[in-house]
Amino acid sequence: MKTLLHSRWLHLLLLLFWLVIGLGLRFLCLDLKSVWTDEFATLVFSLGHSFRTIPLNQAIALDTLLQPLQLEPQTGVAAVLEHLMQESTHPPLYFVLAHWWLQWFPSQEGLVSIWAARSLPAILGALSIPAMFGLGWLAFGSRLVGHLAAAAMAVSPYGIYLAQEARHYTLAVLWVIASLSCLVATVRSLRMHKPLPVLIGLGWVAVNALGMATHYFFVLTLLAEALVLLGFWLLTAWAYPFKKHEQTSQWPAFKLWGRIYAVAAGTIAGIVAWLPAWQGVYGNQLTDWIYSGSRAGLGWFDPLLQALVGWITMLVFLPVQAPNPIVVIVSGLGMLLFVVWSVPLICRGLKQQGQQFQSRLALQVLGGFVLSAIALFFAIAYGLGTEINSAFRFNFVYFPAVIALLGESLAAVWSGSVGSQPRPSTARIVGDFWKWWQPSGKMVVLVIWLVGLLSGLTVATGWGYQKTHRPDVVVQHLQQAAQSPGLIAIAHATHGQTGRLMGLAWELKRQQNTGALVNPLFLLAHQDQNPLSSAIALQQTLSQLPRPLDLWLLNFPNPDETPSLASLLAAERCVADPQHKHRTDGYRYRLYRC
């Protein structure tokens, strides 16, 4: 009895260790990174505010631009739902939770706290660590697999990237883990010729509904699970004919599958409930970026290369975005060597575990799920002409299953049954080193985990998985070039451009106007169906401002290729500064002296 209690406490302490490591990485430098457009959308809608209150086509002050980020305790959930459904393309569950969460934190200089906004996904991301332990233990019946999966989740650079954004992906990951747990339990019941327990069925329907209320791409998780169940149904029908099945089981086939059909019906009802909202998503300007149009030449390989990079960064991401080029080169080579060394080990570990009856079913379920999800992604990328693989955040759909499979593979390596095998031809580049250094399986797992820890630190400190938009870099250029009062103008189509401008305003406010650019004005020059509308709004605004003036044009058409805009700038006596024409993540900008 003492041994049993000691074992339980040991497992709890070890799981607590993974949780502490994961929390530390997710909260490290949490509010030091710049805020980008999608995060501003989360903040504004979670506060129950609207982007439409910001004036268009007129010069506004910094405080006016940031007004939707003010905390207003009297604003309730009804306002969150109203503005989100009218202006966004996301379901509301996370935004409602974030609304309640932000009420517990004081404002910072009248605005919402970025640390508070990012702390919720960071906590949810940390909760995925014990959740992964549960999935690994449930699926493979091994606490060792559970611990290795939890350890991998704790340091996964991709997991940390999701957790350090004020977005809803870590909540979606929790629903994916829960749904996969139900899938594993369901297939195991079928294999044992027992009907699905009612509570698991009801819980599965509820989890799937919550997943759909968190992110619409959760439907890809459901489709991949459906493909797994379809494959299992076909395999069962082929291996166990109906009559033989009834003879070997006390439950007739219609009862074995009847509850699963009920779960499917409940899940489909949860999906259908969102169809009216989906009609507003398709063709929305906010989602135009995902459509790549026609592919040509080497462009056909883009989805494959993007997918490969996304998969690698679930395991390793060294400082390839560091400012020092030597660090970048060394990190790139290090990642390549690590992948060449570790991936064959991981694959052989899965093969080794697949030979064991206890693990085979879970490997088939989770492996089939991952392959089905990846196939769906490529079908969407090539069939619909989209860039879905370029947005790594969407890989949340199958990310937990990858970590669970990694935990199972590392369990085989830990036992020493994999590391001592001959190296495959793909790893000959490190073959001689391997002959000299024959580590134990435990040492191999430790090395893989330590590389993951270094990768997690890379992401947390901003040397990997940098923000999609970099307003901090733009503000540095603006401050260095400032000579006169400034107007920062952006061609506006949706609140995506408003968020880009908010990013600049936020960075300037954070610097407390310590640079040369003091109290600039901002302009959202709206672009409608009239191709000259944004240029007309710019001209009208310029005509009302005193000179001299520094004019920064953000994401406007190139004046050198747009005669109407060039003539407008010339009429307003605005001359381009040849030394200040830049392009950085999310921004294309140029300075004019007026």
Side-chain angles (χ1 to χ4, degrees), residues 334-587:
M335 286 182 63
L336 178 62
L337 290 176
F338 180 78
V339 169
V340 169
W341 169 68
S342 63
V343 170
L345 273 175
I346 294 169
C347 293
R348 289 210 310 280
L350 290 174
K351 183 178 179 181
Q352 178 77 16
Q353 297 294 77
Q355 297 173 2
Q356 301 181 15
F357 177 78
Q358 185 178 4
S359 302
R360 191 178 306 153
L361 179 62
L363 284 173
Q364 291 172 347
V365 172
L366 295 178
F369 170 81
V370 170
L371 293 177
S372 298
I374 291 174
L376 290 172
F377 270 73
F378 280 114
I380 294 172
Y382 286 109
L384 301 180
T386 69
E387 295 290 343
I388 187 173
N389 287 336
S390 68
F392 297 157
R393 57 189 181 273
F394 295 151
N395 290 340
F396 79 87
V397 166
Y398 57 91
F399 168 56
V402 173
I403 296 298
L405 292 173
L406 177 62
E408 172 70 351
S409 174
L410 292 180
V413 177
W414 180 272
S415 67
S417 60
V418 174
S420 60
Q421 295 180 5
R423 306 299 294 162
S425 58
T426 55
R428 287 175 182 171
I429 190 171
V430 291
D432 294 337
F433 176 74
W434 188 261
K435 292 179 181 178
W436 171 75
W437 182 53
Q438 288 283 353
S440 66
K442 295 179 179 61
M443 181 62 70
V444 171
V445 173
L446 179 61
V447 169
I448 292 176
W449 187 80
L450 288 175
V451 172
L453 178 61
L454 177 60
S455 301
L457 290 170
T458 295
V459 175
T461 53
W463 285 9
Y465 266 127
Q466 293 178 347
K467 297 301 180 184
T468 304
H469 302 156
R470 295 297 305 277
D472 53 331
V473 175
V474 179
V475 166
Q476 288 179 6
H477 292 158
L478 268 59
Q479 294 282 26
Q480 293 169 0
Q483 295 180 1
S484 305
L487 173 67
I488 306 172
I490 191 170
H492 175 271
T494 68
H495 65 67
Q497 290 74 43
T498 308
R500 284 173 172 81
L501 212 55
M502 278 182 165
L504 303 183
W506 185 278
E507 287 294 327
L508 288 167
K509 186 175 182 65
R510 185 166 68 169
Q511 297 178 17
Q512 296 293 332
N513 290 329
T514 56
L517 185 60
V518 179
N519 296 327
L521 297 175
F522 299 86
L523 171 65
L524 291 160
H526 187 62
Q527 179 66 61
D528 55 25
Q529 295 180 351
N530 180 359
L532 299 178
S533 57
S534 60
I536 294 173
L538 176 63
Q539 182 179 34
Q540 292 175 346
T541 303
L542 287 174
S543 65
Q544 300 172 10
L545 296 178
R547 311 302 171 90
L549 177 73
D550 286 347
L551 170 65
W552 287 93
L553 293 186
L554 276 63
N555 298 351
F556 267 80
N558 187 350
D560 298 334
E561 301 174 0
T562 311
S564 58
L565 182 58
S567 60
L568 178 155
L569 294 170
E572 293 295 330
R573 296 173 296 162
C574 296
V575 180
D577 187 329
Q579 296 181 351
H580 296 287
K581 182 180 180 181
H582 307 281
R583 180 188 294 268
T584 190
D585 298 342
Y587 297 90

